[in-house]
């Protein structure tokens, strides 16, 4: 067993306690495994090794292993985290407990059902909504969007829908119908988008007692988010926007701020510039010399050069 | 081989336990959650107390009844409850101002700028966090000093 620079052993055996669930018998139990961990071993690595070497009945969901897909959200040491972005030795405990994400129905072991979560996301219409029916159904050109407008929403578009905020939210834990931080954060993202005109349609779901008004700013969603999306900020901004709209302090985003597809003009870049070397003789001479030099060592390159030479002299 | 049974899925909602028991769910760097739980608990206490308070103040119409009621103040338990109530009012009021600014006006939570590693949420590191610590500090000082004055009045020391 090697030793690290800090004098601690490079590998350590970590006890992993997994909360398992069998949907056919309805049994729920804790199961213990031992896995050798070294620097860089993630919780997902450990689980996959358990599945490969010790217990292939263990079920979990994962895909990319690099924090981009948002499939492996779990409750690790009672904290909602991505298994692929949590290293075993970083946790600093000899026993690591792994449970399925709370506030989601458990299908088996660590696999949870995201159906409700995705439905709430669909409810807020996570796409550009235009007032004109034709534009919605037959879009034929992109919409204009200045970079500073993109910067206002880009934070919220980094959401990978891993469900950690939904698991962390204390209001979701009580209210089943609450839209949740993910959906409301995305609602703010689409309402703020300059290309969008669907505020009134989204308000049907958002301006509700199970919508934006149910959030009480516990901030847990933002603290749990692995991507820095900050849903808590989005929800507060969405709510203050609603307050301002209702009080008449702020006017609704004017459609004129949004460039319709027809106003996007393409700049005529013209034809390609003329060749700066009019006289081909220098190039021809250079190519012939090079071909002769390479004749001995690289005959096929010399042949290719002669072929090219033929094309430029013939045209 | 046993007969295949219909799968049953487990409703895994944390409920109130996830709100008030700290070791059910742990979120790092999140004093806002503490404030959220305290705000709800104090709010619950105040909403229960409010009708009682209206009933009690209505007693002043009958001086004899009022005098009888004031005897209740001699009870140490009632005195302790008064102190808890005082703390609740102070916390709920102070935190309420902060929440009005943050939730109603969107102040103190920063601007939605493009995130950069290490992906720290801006809303949790902005001015509202300072306000929160101020709320906690003022609340504790007022509650403790108020308690000293209150209990001296009651003759505890």
């Amino acid at each position: 067993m090697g030793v690290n620079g800090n004098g601690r052993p490079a590998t350590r055996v970590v006890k992993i306690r997994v909360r398992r669930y069998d949907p056919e018998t309805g049994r729920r139990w804790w199961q213990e495994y031992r896995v050798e961990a070294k620097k860089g071993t993630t919780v997902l690595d450990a689980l996959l090794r358990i599945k490969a070497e010790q217990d292939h009945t263990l079920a979990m969901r994962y895909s990319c292993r690099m924090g981009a897909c948002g499939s492996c959200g779990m409750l690790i040491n009672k904290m909602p985290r991505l298994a692929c972005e949590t290293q075993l030795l970083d946790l600093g405990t000899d026993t690591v407990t792994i449970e399925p994400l709370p506030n989601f129905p458990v299908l088996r072991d660590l696999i949870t059902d995201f159906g409700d979560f995705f439905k709430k996301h669909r409810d807020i219409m996570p796409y550009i909504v235009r007032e004109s029916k034709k534009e919605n159904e037959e879009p034929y050109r992109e919409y204009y969007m200045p970079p500073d407008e993109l910067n206002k929403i880009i934070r919220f578009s980094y959401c990978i829908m891993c469900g950690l905020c939904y698991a962390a939210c204390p209001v979701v834990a009580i209210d089943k119908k609450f839209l949740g931080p993910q959906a409301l954060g995305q609602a703010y993202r689409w309402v703020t988008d300059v290309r969008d005109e669907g505020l009134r349609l989204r308000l049907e779901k958002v301006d509700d007692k199970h919508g934006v008004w149910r959030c009480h700013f516990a901030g847990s969603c933002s603290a749990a988010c692995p991507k820095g999306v900050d849903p808590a900020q989005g929800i507060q901004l969405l709510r203050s926007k609603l307050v301002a709209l209702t009080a008449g302090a702020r006017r609704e985003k004017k459609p004129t701020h949004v460039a319709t597809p027809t106003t996007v003009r393409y700049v005529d870049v013209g034809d390609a510039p003329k060749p700066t070397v009019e006289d081909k003789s220098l190039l021809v001479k250079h190519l012939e010399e090079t071909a002769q030099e390479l004749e001995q060592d690289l005959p096929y390159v010399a042949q290719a050069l002669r072929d090219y030479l033929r094309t430029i002299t013939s045209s | 081989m046993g007969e295949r049974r219909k799968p049953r899925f487990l409703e895994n909602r944390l409920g109130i336990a996830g709100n008030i028991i700290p070791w059910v769910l742990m979120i790092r760097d999140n004093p806002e959650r503490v404030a959220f739980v305290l705000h709800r608990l104090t709010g619950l206490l105040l909403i229960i107390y409010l009708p009682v308070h209206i009933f009690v103040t209505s007693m002043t119409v009958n001086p004899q009844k009022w005098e009888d009621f004031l005897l209740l103040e001699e009870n140490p338990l009632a005195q302790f409850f008064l102190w808890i109530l005082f703390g609740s009012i102070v916390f709920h009021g102070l935190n309420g101002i902060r929440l009005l600014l943050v939730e109603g006006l969107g102040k103190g939570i920063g601007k939605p700028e493009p995130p950069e590693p290490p992906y720290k949420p801006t809303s949790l590191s902005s001015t509202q966090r300072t306000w929160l610590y101020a709320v906690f500090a003022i609340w504790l000082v007022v509650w403790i000093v108020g308690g000293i004055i209150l209990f001296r009045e009651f003759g505890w020391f």
Side-chain angles (χ1 to χ4, degrees):
Chain A
M1 194 180 277
V3 168
N4 273 341
N6 55 15
R8 277 183 291 182
T11 62
R12 192 152 58 89
V13 175
V14 178
K15 192 160 79 175
I16 292 184
R17 296 185 78 217
V18 182
R19 186 122 209 224
R20 303 195 57 188
Y21 175 70
D22 180 6
E24 287 177 21
T25 58
R27 190 164 80 99
R28 202 171 193 211
W29 73 102
W30 286 98
Q31 195 156 345
E32 281 185 14
Y33 305 96
R34 270 161 216 283
V35 173
E36 199 170 78
K38 58 185 177 190
K39 193 176 178 229
T41 305
T42 63
V43 173
L44 183 64
D45 289 339
L47 287 173
L48 285 172
R49 212 180 308 149
I50 290 167
K51 194 175 170 68
E53 295 166 4
Q54 299 178 31
D55 181 0
H56 52 258
T57 62
L58 181 66
M60 70 280 202
R61 180 166 48 211
Y62 71 98
S63 180
C64 72
R65 311 174 195 219
M66 52 182 218
C69 73
S71 302
C72 62
M74 292 165 195
L75 207 60
I76 298 164
N77 276 358
K78 302 289 176 187
M79 283 180 280
R81 307 180 83 158
L82 291 181
C84 62
E85 285 199 328
T86 310
Q87 296 189 13
L88 274 180
L89 296 187
D90 278 1
L91 289 167
T93 49
D94 288 329
T95 311
V96 173
T97 61
I98 303 178
E99 292 166 76
L101 274 186
N103 301 341
F104 291 96
V106 184
L107 301 184
R108 178 188 285 274
D109 293 350
L110 299 172
I111 300 177
T112 46
D113 177 28
F114 270 52
D116 222 25
F117 176 76
F118 289 147
K119 195 196 161 288
K120 286 170 180 173
H121 185 216
R122 273 198 300 276
D123 277 350
I124 58 104
M125 298 196 274
Y127 40 81
I128 290 174
V129 177
R130 303 285 294 183
E131 271 167 8
S132 132
K133 201 183 169 197
K134 189 174 178 296
E135 275 181 44
N136 277 332
E137 288 173 5
E138 295 163 41
Y140 60 101
R141 219 181 257 181
E142 71 265 38
Y143 298 100
Y144 170 67
M145 186 177 210
D148 58 325
E149 289 293 341
L150 176 67
N151 280 345
K152 284 182 194 166
I153 58 152
I154 196 154
R155 172 160 224 133
F156 305 101
S157 14
Y158 283 131
C159 176
I160 56 173
M161 288 186 260
C162 59
L164 296 194
C165 53
Y166 198 79
C169 180
V171 180
V172 175
I174 308 168
D175 184 2
K176 200 177 174 179
K177 286 184 186 163
F178 177 49
L179 281 176
Q182 194 271 341
L184 288 172
Q186 290 309 300
Y188 177 72
R189 179 244 176 277
W190 290 103
V191 162
T192 322
D193 197 314
V194 275
R195 301 166 294 177
D196 186 85
E197 291 172 359
L199 175 69
R200 293 284 146 199
L201 284 169
R202 288 197 185 90
L203 283 191
E204 282 174 23
K205 285 281 175 188
V206 169
D207 189 8
D208 184 76
K209 76 174 177 183
H210 297 294
V212 74
W213 306 108
R214 199 79 174 88
C215 164
H216 302 299
F217 194 51
S220 298
C221 47
S222 293
C225 182
K227 289 280 161 188
V229 169
D230 209 352
Q233 187 188 44
I235 301 171
Q236 306 328 309
L237 291 174
L238 178 62
R239 176 157 40 196
S240 54
K241 193 170 191 161
L242 284 191
V243 169
L245 280 176
T246 317
R250 197 197 292 184
R251 261 177 289 170
E252 212 172 307
K253 192 174 63 188
K254 275 188 206 160
T256 44
H257 289 187
V258 190
T260 53
T262 45
T263 62
V264 177
R265 278 172 223 267
Y266 292 94
V267 182
D268 186 12
V269 290
D271 299 326
K274 283 178 183 164
T276 45
V277 183
E278 289 285 337
D279 188 11
K280 280 184 192 163
S281 62
L282 271 172
L283 180 62
V284 169
K285 197 181 158 204
H286 175 69
L287 283 173
E288 272 172 352
E289 280 172 9
T290 319
Q292 265 172 17
E293 273 175 34
L294 296 174
E295 192 70 77
Q296 286 293 318
D297 300 327
L298 300 163
Y300 46 91
V301 177
Q303 189 56 47
L305 283 177
R306 291 219 173 81
D307 287 347
Y308 177 59
L309 205 58
R310 212 170 297 131
T311 56
I312 57 169
T313 45
S314 64
S315 63
Chain B
M1 289 290 280
E3 197 188 325
R4 205 182 147 78
R5 272 171 281 191
K6 198 174 182 289
R8 280 177 296 165
F9 301 132
L10 185 75
E11 187 70 22
N12 193 23
R13 213 162 276 276
L14 286 178
I16 294 171
N19 277 279
I20 51 176
I21 307 173
W23 55 87
V24 168
L25 184 76
M26 283 190 261
I27 313 285
R28 272 188 191 163
D29 185 31
N30 195 6
E32 287 86 0
R33 197 184 175 98
V34 179
F36 162 79
V37 172
L38 281 174
H39 200 81
R40 301 219 106 185
L41 291 178
T42 54
L44 201 68
L45 190 68
L46 293 182
I47 211 156
I48 293 168
Y49 176 71
L50 204 65
V52 178
H53 179 66
I54 291 168
F55 174 70
V56 164
T57 44
S58 76
M59 279 180 180
T60 47
V61 180
N62 187 338
Q64 184 53 44
K65 220 174 168 186
W66 178 243
E67 288 298 320
D68 288 347
F69 172 74
L70 284 186
L71 287 176
L72 200 73
E73 260 186 18
E74 314 239 314
N75 187 348
L77 227 96
Q79 292 171 352
F80 185 72
F81 174 75
L82 265 181
W83 181 60
I84 297 287
L85 194 71
F86 170 62
S88 301
I89 294 166
V90 173
F91 179 81
H92 203 85
L94 285 173
N95 195 43
I97 296 170
R98 167 183 156 265
L99 286 179
L100 276 177
L101 288 170
V102 171
E103 298 189 341
L105 303 176
K107 301 286 177 206
I109 44 168
K111 279 182 182 156
E113 281 151 1
E116 278 170 19
Y119 301 126
K120 286 274 173 204
T122 35
S123 68
L124 301 188
S125 54
S126 301
T127 337
Q128 92 34 59
R129 186 56 80 79
T130 321
W131 296 343
L132 179 62
Y133 289 142
V135 164
F136 278 134
I138 297 169
W139 168 54
L140 285 174
V141 168
V142 171
W143 196 21
I144 289 165
V145 171
I148 291 168
I149 296 168
L150 203 65
F151 287 128
R152 187 172 281 167
E153 198 75 12
F154 290 142
W156 283 35
F157 47 81

